[in-house]
Amino acid sequence: LNDVNGDGRGDLVVRAYQYLPNATKTESYGRIYVYTDGLSASVTTLSASRGGEVRLDLDGKNHSSLYMVAASVSGNHPGLEVSGLHVPINFDLFTLASWIYANSPVLVDSYGKTDNRGRATTYFRAPAGFLRGYAGLRLTFAAVMLDKLDMASNPVPITIVP
């Protein structure tokens, strides 16, 4: 369908029948939001002892828009509310460090402008031993479009293994 609710994205309306024994057939309607904008990762695990690289590809809706990728080791629920935008990571010291050290050798291109198709690539490069003490936790990444604060990506969890 077209944009039913005016949020700039195509909507899908689903109609379902509900069957209850000894009852009349009822119909219910609902809306499913399908987001094509998002963040994806090249791997699902990262070694705390050996280190490694995670390639994060952002597919945003805004061309040439300012973005930032942040991380958390505290999960994604309940998440952050930033000027009315829900960002699916919890704030912790790792989040603060990902903001302070944006575009560092560890967080390459984590802050910048998307290309003319709304895409960007970020790399998280953990040296050997960098994540020592985090084994067994999940490192969750999310991206935010900063120009209008109108888009936050899906959360991308990376499991830190020994």
Side-chain angles (χ1 to χ4, degrees), residues 47-150:
S47 171
S49 59
R50 290 189 316 273
E53 178 180 278
V54 178
R55 176 186 166 134
L56 297 158
D57 291 312
L58 173 62
D59 186 4
K61 67 179 182 178
N62 301 326
H63 61 82
S64 301
S65 183
L66 196 61
Y67 73 91
M68 180 169 223
V69 176
S72 172
V73 291
S74 299
N76 66 323
H77 184 75
L80 297 170
E81 293 296 323
V82 180
S83 296
L85 178 67
H86 180 75
V87 181
I89 59 172
N90 292 330
F91 184 83
D92 58 24
L93 289 178
F94 215 100
T95 310
L96 181 60
S98 69
W99 293 345
I100 293 171
Y101 297 106
N103 293 346
S104 70
V106 173
L107 287 165
V108 178
D109 295 328
S110 60
Y111 173 76
K113 283 200 175 257
T114 60
D115 66 15
N116 61 0
R117 294 180 300 172
R119 297 181 180 164
T121 300
T122 298
Y123 295 91
F124 176 71
R125 294 184 175 142
F130 182 78
L131 296 170
R132 185 183 34 232
Y134 291 99
L137 297 178
R138 281 192 178 163
L139 180 59
T140 303
F141 293 93
V144 177
M145 299 306 234
L146 299 173
D147 286 343
K148 299 177 187 174
L149 282 177
D150 64 345

